[in-house]
Structure formats: C-alpha cells, structure tokens
Amino acid sequence: MRAQLFRYFAKELRKRKKKTALVTFAITWGTLSILLLMSFGRGLSNSFRISFKGLGDNLIMVYRGQTSKDYHGLPKGRRIMIYPRDIALLSALIPEIGLVSPESNDYFMITAAGRETNRNVCGVGPAFGVMRSMIAESGGRFINEEDERTARRVAFIGWNMAENLFPGENPVGRTIVISRVPFTVIGVMKKKLQNSSYQGFDADHAYIPHSTFSRIHTQLYIDRIHVQPKRREDNQLVERRIREILGRKYRFDPEDDYALGIWNTIEQAEEAEKGFRGVEIFLAIIGGLTLLIGAVGVTNLMYALVKERTREIGIKMALGARRRHIILQFLLETVFIFSKGMFWGAAVAYAIVRLTRLVPISYELSGIQTYLLRPIFSLDILVIFLAILGTLVFLSGIFPAVRASRLNPVEALRYE
Amino acid sequence: MIEMERISKVYRMGEVRLEALKEISLRIEAAEFISIMGPSGSGKSTLLNIIGCLDTPSGGSYFLEEKNVAGLGFDELSTVRNRKIGFVFQNFNLLPYATTYENIELPMLFNGRSGKRRRERVRELLEMVGLVEWQHHRPSELSGGQQQRVAIARALANDPSLILADEPTGNLDSKTGEEIMGLFVKLQGQGRTILMVTHDTHIASYSQRTIQLLDGRIV
C-alpha cells in the first residue's frame, strides 16, 4: 500500500472530524471511567493494607484470661495472669519467635510546660516499636535495650500527644511529668495509618521502658505480650506453642480458648487480604463487562459510520478502489479514533489520580477519605486495559470494515 | 473496443426470477458515441453497469479491448474500472467533503501515480473543464453544471478510453446540458468511446448511433 493513500485517509479523517467526535468522546469517557474505577479500587485496598499494618506487622498479642474448662481437678473460672518472666520462658522454648515484648498500660496524669492531660501510658520493651510500626520522627528514637536495662526515665510519645503538650514545638529533649515522675522525651511517633486498635490509637499514647513502668505502677503481672514470629507462616504454630507452654506452667487446658486471650493479627490479615483480592477482582470484572458493553456500542457506531458512507464507498469502488483499500481505510479510522479516545481518557485519568493524591488526608481518624483519596494508577492496570481494549478495537473495527468492502458497487451507488 | 456475446443478467428475489438482460450481443468500435435508450426497466442501467464492470453478467462473454472481463474477480475489475473506464452519473456522485481538486485526484490515488504527475494531470483537467478558480471549493458550493464538469474531469483522470454516462444531463437545465454534450463531443474527438444512457431524444441526437432496449433485448 502506498504512502499517498495513507495521507489521503488521514486527510479524509480530518475532514470528517465532527462526524467521529461522538465516537471519540465515547471512548475517552469509557477509558476514563474504567481506569478510574480500577485506580480507585486498587487505592482502596492498598490503603486498607497500610492501615491494617498500622497496628503492627505480623503480630500476635497474648492477654491475660480466665479458664472456661475444668483441668486436672482444677475448676473453671480461674484467672490466668502473665508475668515478665514468662517472656524469657517463651523465647527460650519457642525458637520460631522473632521478636517479643511485654506491654502494660494505665492512665496517668501527664503534665508538661504548664499543660496537663490524662493519657494512656504504656510500659514496653525495645522490640515493641518495630512490631507496632512505630517510627520516630527525625531527631528522635524509640526506647532501646539500655533504657530497658537501666530503667531510664525516658518517653516516646504519639504525635497527638506531642501536639497537645508542645503545640508547634519540638518535644524531643523536653521534660514531661508522668505521675509526678519526670521523663525526658526521646522521640515522637511519625504519623501512620491505623484502622484497628485497643484502648485508643497509638497517636495518643506515651511509651516508656517496661522496667520503668514497673517502678511507677504497682502491678506485678503484665497486661499483654507482643510476639512476632520469624516467619509469617509459623503464626499458628507459635500460637499453639504459647498455649501449651503457659498451659503447662499455669495448669490450664491448651484447648481452652479463654484461658489466654490471643489476638493473632496475621491470621486476621490473611483473611482481610482475601477480601482485598476479592474487591480488586470484582472491580476488574465490572470494568471488563463495562468495556465489553462499550465495545458493542462502538461497533454499532462504526457500523453507522459505514452505513452513512455507503454511497461514498460505491463511488470509490467505481473509481477503482480495491477491497483492501476500503478495509484498510475503515480499520485505520477505527484504530485512530480509539487511540485518540484512549490517549485522552488515560491522560485525564492519570491527571485525576495525581491530583487526588495531592489532597492531604487526616491520620487522626481513618475516615472514608483515607481510602478514597489515595488511588493508584499503576502500569499493569494500564497494560491490561490496553491489551483488552486493543483486541476489542480490532474486533469492533474489522467487522464494519469487512462489511463495507463486501458492498456491491451498484447497490452502494444507488444508496440514498 | 467492446464485444459482447449473449450477455444475460438474472436477478433472483426469493422465488421470483427477473431477467434484466436476455442474451444481448453487442459490438462497439473505438471512438464511437452511442446512446442507449429505452423505457425504464428495459435494462439500460444494468447493461451500462455490466459494461462498466460494476456488475457481472450471469452468462455470456464480454471482451473489453480484447480482454475477457466476464470471469474477473472484484479487485481485477477494480483495476479495469480504474484504468480503462470513466463514469459520469446523473447525480454527479462527488465526495461531499472533498474539494474539486481532491475529487479529480481521487482515481489516481488508487493506482499510485506520483504526486508530481497527479498535480499536472489535475491542473490539465481543471483547465479543460474551466474550473481552475473553483478548485478549492466543495461540491455544495458549485452549480449543477459545475459539479458535472468536475465529475467529467474526474472520469478522465486516468485517461480512460471508455466513458460511461448514466443520464448525465438528467439533473441539469437544457442550456447546461448542451454544454456538457459539447464536452462529450470534444472527448469523442480525442478518440474516446462514449456510451450514454438517456431518454432525452434531443440529447441522444449528439450521438451517432442509438441502441434501443426493450424488456432486456436490443430492438
């Protein structure tokens, strides 16, 4: 096929711009809505994933409990307490455990720089920060081994508390007074998304070494043990081993689910992950079906464009156009119209996604905007979309084009 | 130039068999100017379409310049139409969104003439039909006579030896019709064969020979 013919097709298409504007618009709109659907869908599940990890990554929490079964002659209803020494026992007997930390907490009056607030103070080990995705703002740090060993009076505080006690100032190095004992602030928690919690969100808390906590608080037991297995897959095993070991020590049935409270976030996360996948697959199916309906509509429009040009096709045939000239012209027009529509649709979708991501989101409460305002426009979405649409373009272009080329020139010339 | 032997054309519409042409034999020499006349439904247009390779006969043989075209496929017929035949229609059949220039150029795009030769040829033809100053106008901006002159120029683009005209003056007033006939006479003078369907006896008087059709037969 000669270049002059392509130039001629392009020229004809330019002249027919207005006639094809509707199809172009339809394709732009379709591309835009499907890409946005998929970007926002992916953003939604991604935000869920992030805020799910906000509480902590790969975490198993062990609480005190009360037996609900008789065991070796012991009655049910006994309280089961856990103590600091149990932590050493568990890490010694369960090699699958990676990190472990105690946590005890209570509400205390906290004062600083003339301000006063009643907040949850948690005594935790050095591993706690990593397990609970707590990262210090630059210039600060989390509690370390030395703090714990020597029971230093240091505190790591949530960003909300920092804002309440030291509005507009850097709290690191300043003093806060917890229950009449002065503490030095060593770090402020960087903002993070968190959608599950107990006793309030991490942003509002103060964290001090567990050894120090034991000195300002009278309780001997600990409230919770945080455990992180070395490998995610071991979470069920570690959970079972904890029940067995503590069951042997405190004499309760390892099968008794109420003797110890265990919150296995890994198991929960795996369930949630299935949910996220489900949402993404669902959106992809909706997108695919929409695309299919759109392609049917576009095929119709292309048929209409062919029909409208029946007489013109007859004229061209009379003047010596071959079948492939006719097919090629219509197919190229379809491809061009689609490319144009897809380009603008993708460009606008990309712009909308980028602009939406610029909107600041609140970390204070994981509101709906947290999930809606962080769409993700990823290359794989675009590639899958283009592959599917490319196929549909070819199909919706080839049929009208072939039909056009099969017209009988005599009848086409007579067409009104 | 044209040799037809027992050409027939049968249309089937469901159960009904319609014989549009019944064993027509015809011989036309080069540089003849012939009109085809007859009442409507007599098969004039069908005959013209078969001669013009737009349609294929149901039976018989057809030689165009010693070449048997009865058995050719669509694309081969396209080539024959493109090189050897020029069409002039009653309703002009110009592309509405193309200018005079572009309409005349179109047949040359289907056979790959170089850009330079196309420009030269379009200019020649514009001068011949007297539309140089109208070359950038679209058909809707031209009068009927001007549009028919564009169509004639387009028919001549690839310098065909055969011109087929289906009621070329049917949509024109008589004075414009005469002008168009003047052009046809001139084309005949250049050695081209002209076949024209008409039912206007005055227009037919420009030709040297008239073929009368009735019910698909030559009378």
Side-chain angles (χ1 to χ4, degrees), chain A residues 118-252:
Chain A
N118 190 24
R119 286 296 157 87
N120 200 354
V121 175
C122 310
V124 299
F128 190 83
V130 179
M131 285 191 271
R132 290 282 294 265
S133 332
M134 290 177 183
I135 299 165
E137 286 279 8
S138 61
R141 64 169 178 87
F142 195 72
I143 295 157
N144 63 21
E145 296 287 348
E146 201 57 22
D147 297 332
E148 176 68 23
R149 199 171 55 79
T150 59
R152 279 184 186 150
R153 294 195 303 272
V154 291
F156 178 83
I157 60 176
W159 67 91
N160 259 350
M161 184 184 285
E163 194 53 38
N164 289 343
L165 295 176
F166 304 99
E169 293 173 68
N170 181 8
V172 175
R174 305 284 294 270
T175 300
I176 59 173
V177 179
I178 302 172
S179 183
R180 282 173 287 168
V181 181
F183 283 76
T184 305
V185 177
I186 52 168
V188 175
M189 194 190 305
K190 208 169 192 163
K191 289 182 179 181
K192 62 173 184 175
L193 285 173
Q194 182 183 359
N195 71 352
S196 55
S197 68
Y198 53 91
Q199 295 174 356
F201 284 91
D202 297 354
D204 296 314
H205 302 172
Y207 297 87
I208 61 175
H210 194 264
S211 50
T212 319
F213 185 87
S214 307
R215 297 191 182 177
I216 62 167
H217 200 282
T218 51
Q219 73 181 36
L220 291 174
Y221 55 85
I222 54 181
D223 289 326
R224 271 169 296 277
I225 302 175
H226 280 63
V227 176
Q228 190 179 65
K230 282 178 186 146
R231 300 183 309 156
R232 273 179 82 88
E233 323 63 285
D234 289 334
N235 71 84
Q236 308 259 13
L237 170 74
V238 168
E239 188 182 328
R240 203 177 64 241
R241 294 286 291 137
I242 291 171
R243 287 189 196 278
E244 284 169 8
I245 292 163
L246 294 182
R248 211 179 309 137
K249 184 172 176 188
Y250 296 114
R251 290 161 192 272
F252 61 81

Side-chain angles (χ1 to χ4, degrees), chain A residues 3-107:
Chain A
Q4 59 189 27
L5 212 56
F6 288 98
R7 278 202 295 277
Y8 169 74
F9 292 159
K11 197 154 88 183
E12 210 166 86
L13 189 64
R14 268 203 305 281
K15 295 190 182 211
R16 294 174 40 82
K17 224 176 193 166
K18 274 187 204 145
K19 301 242 175 196
T20 60
L22 185 68
V23 189
T24 313
F25 176 76
I27 294 159
T28 306
W29 186 254
T31 307
L32 176 65
S33 40
I34 289 161
L35 286 181
L36 284 185
L37 180 75
M38 295 178 79
S39 301
F40 277 83
R42 178 161 295 192
L44 186 76
S45 44
N46 193 56
S47 294
F48 260 116
R49 267 183 211 115
I50 292 171
S51 55
F52 207 86
K53 287 186 175 171
L55 173 67
D57 203 3
N58 301 345
L59 212 56
I60 299 172
M61 279 174 261
V62 183
Y63 293 75
R64 291 171 284 128
Q66 198 168 15
T67 57
S68 67
K69 288 178 182 170
D70 295 337
Y71 186 68
H72 291 280
L74 293 165
K76 60 184 173 188
R78 284 179 304 126
R79 294 180 71 81
I80 302 297
M81 309 301 264
I82 43 182
Y83 296 92
R85 58 184 178 277
D86 294 335
I87 290 170
L89 179 73
L90 291 177
S91 15
L93 293 181
I94 312 173
E96 287 83 6
I97 287 179
L99 296 172
V100 62
S101 165
E103 188 198 4
S104 294
N105 67 290
D106 207 345
Y107 284 84

